[in-house]
Amino acid sequence: VTTSNGGERQMPAGIDQSHAAVFLLPSVARAYRHRPPYPAAVPDVVLSLLGDERAGSAAVLDVGCGIGDLARLLVDSVGRVDAVDVSEPMLEEGRRQPGGDHPGLRWISGRVEEAPLEPPYAIAVAGDSLNWTDWYVALPRLHECLDPEGLLVIVHRTWGTRAPEEADVFRRHSTAQGFQPYDLVPELVSRDLFEPENHIRLAGTWRPTIEEYVESRHAQASFSRERMGPEAAEAFDTELAELLRRLVRERRVRAVGEQLMVPVTIQMAWGRPKPGPS
Ligand SMILES: C[S@@+](CC[C@H](N)C(=O)[O-])C[C@H]1O[C@@H](n2cnc3c(N)ncnc32)[C@H](O)[C@@H]1O
């Protein structure tokens, strides 16, 4: 495949952006609010990058906002947030969440590559979303849409028991069998699409019930109820819930009453999106 400027597009092995259609599925949008919330330190990092003087009036873009987990956290502290996503079910769910009707928050329907945006933005945040875009169009577009000082903050949220048995349950039940994990930031850098400036890793604890934990997994691309089918989804739920109960009994997962104590990790990397390979 050749880019508009003549360069060659290369994607990591096993990456199929057409898989992004999973986020159009209503069950994924409904389950999404069961993902662990972002720790308060996440908006704090974004606000510190903006600086006290700029933050209050800043225009922020949330790329692939989903139900607006980042947008709704930020909107009270900045001038406005434009939250763009290709999935109507996600946007609908986002409007219904606390803060979803904030007057400073504008939901924009469409692919970030071509949606009607209102630049310039002081900062763009992208939580686990750029992976699904056409990097060779999205990153140059973000370059165009940011002001000259503007930064792109790439956020990655993970959670789990860290038990090898859990990884095994995921491997067996995943609907994305060919998927090879990869690190987004180095992939973008190696394609001359992103110039990193710095990064931070935040750790927190999430306290879901077993049912909430299981539901959080159905908000992930590889475990949508529609693509698994009802029988496989039920088998997955039963197996995962039994495993969690066993891990609690064996004291390998801490629990307080009905609530599990689940480690959450947030990686944030910021820098400048580039106009594209020269
Ligand atoms: C894993 S979710 C992340 C949602 C949210 N940013 C978060 O931090 O939880 C990925 C989101 O990216 C959206 N998405 C995928 N491709 C997109 C594109 N080309 N333009 C805009 N949004 C896109 C999906 O619809 C989905 O809502």
Side-chain angles (χ1 to χ4, degrees), residues 255-272:
V256 178
E258 296 290 292
Q259 291 179 302
L260 308 175
M261 311 279 270
V262 178
V264 176
T265 304
I266 310 291
Q267 285 164 273
M268 302 175 76
W270 56 92
R272 294 276 310 159

Side-chain angles (χ1 to χ4, degrees), residues 8 24 32 57 69 93 105 109 115 130 150-151 182 200 223 239 258 261 268 273:
E8 216 179 296
L24 305 175
Y32 211 87
S57 60
D69 286 358
E93 201 62 39
L105 177 52
S109 177
L130 285 174
L151 292 171
Y182 67 96
I200 193 170
F223 304 108
E239 212 178 312
E258 296 290 292
M261 311 279 270
M268 302 175 76

